[in-house]
Amino acid sequence: MNLKEDICLKDLCGIHKFQGIELSTRTITDYFNHEYKCDVVKFMLDNITYEAIEDPDDGYRSYCSEIKISYEKPKYTFPDYKILCKMKPRDEDGEHDVLVGVDLDTGDTIFEIGTLYVDDYYPCCHFEYHPENMHF
């Protein structure tokens, strides 16, 4: 994979070695010098660490604002674990821009990263991790 600054979640679809994850919060200063807390997730696929950052927008809406390469490994790492990354399909609630990592053998969801309800008035940043669905 070519390393680039602007990464779309769709770029990460396919079979990967999942090697680590870290969910945390961070204080960010915006253009107007206002500070706010946001959720952050780092996840490692194929020896590359990606970082997804929440944009809390106006407090009622939130988005997964950007995906970028991080040169810091996630806090929690583990041996290579093969997963399939795919986009969450549209459902009765609307359109989603969410990357879903699933166990290749069981189909169990391991993580979801992105924005739910992107075509709705109230989109929602969505970071979930289900380590109980990993079967080493």
Side-chain angles (χ1 to χ4, degrees), residues 9 53-55 61-66 87-88 95-99 112-119 122-127:
L9 290 169
I53 301 170
E54 174 193 23
D55 177 351
R61 298 159 190 84
S62 62
Y63 306 87
C64 178
S65 68
E66 61 182 318
M87 297 305 292
K88 184 176 187 76
E95 187 70 31
H96 311 291
D97 185 26
V98 174
L99 184 70
E112 293 188 2
I113 297 168
T115 305
L116 294 170
Y117 323 117
V118 293
D119 57 349
Y122 292 105
C124 179
C125 184
H126 178 70
F127 300 152

Side-chain angles (χ1 to χ4, degrees), residues 1-20:
M1 174 180 206
N2 234 352
L3 294 182
K4 57 183 183 173
E5 284 297 313
D6 297 324
I7 300 162
C8 295
L9 290 169
K10 289 178 185 175
D11 295 341
L12 300 177
C13 287
I15 296 174
H16 295 282
K17 293 180 291 183
F18 179 45
Q19 300 156 314

Side-chain angles (χ1 to χ4, degrees), residues 19-135:
Q19 300 156 314
I21 194 162
E22 176 184 345
L23 293 130
S24 61
T25 59
R26 181 181 300 160
T27 301
I28 294 187
T29 305
D30 68 11
Y31 179 78
F32 300 104
N33 221 18
H34 298 119
E35 288 187 346
Y36 55 90
K37 285 194 177 197
C38 63
D39 291 325
V40 177
V41 62
K42 288 181 192 169
F43 58 104
M44 185 184 289
L45 300 174
D46 303 322
N47 298 312
I48 299 171
T49 301
Y50 299 93
E51 185 175 61
I53 301 170
E54 174 193 23
D55 177 351
D57 195 46
D58 62 3
Y60 296 100
R61 298 159 190 84
S62 62
Y63 306 87
C64 178
S65 68
E66 61 182 318
I67 308 291
K68 63 183 184 178
I69 303 291
S70 173
Y71 294 99
E72 296 177 15
K73 287 186 176 186
K75 186 175 183 178
Y76 305 103
T77 59
F78 34 79
D80 294 355
Y81 191 85
K82 281 209 165 190
I83 62 169
L84 171 66
C85 290
K86 60 184 181 177
M87 297 305 292
K88 184 176 187 76
R90 178 180 182 79
D91 59 22
E92 66 275 356
D93 294 327
E95 187 70 31
H96 311 291
D97 185 26
V98 174
L99 184 70
V100 180
V102 298
D103 182 290
L104 276 175
D105 295 327
T106 65
D108 291 339
T109 298
I110 296 169
F111 65 76
E112 293 188 2
I113 297 168
T115 305
L116 294 170
Y117 323 117
V118 293
D119 57 349
D120 191 58
Y121 192 70
Y122 292 105
C124 179
C125 184
H126 178 70
F127 300 152
E128 278 189 4
Y129 174 47
H130 302 280
E132 68 275 13
N133 290 341
M134 296 176 69
H135 309 284

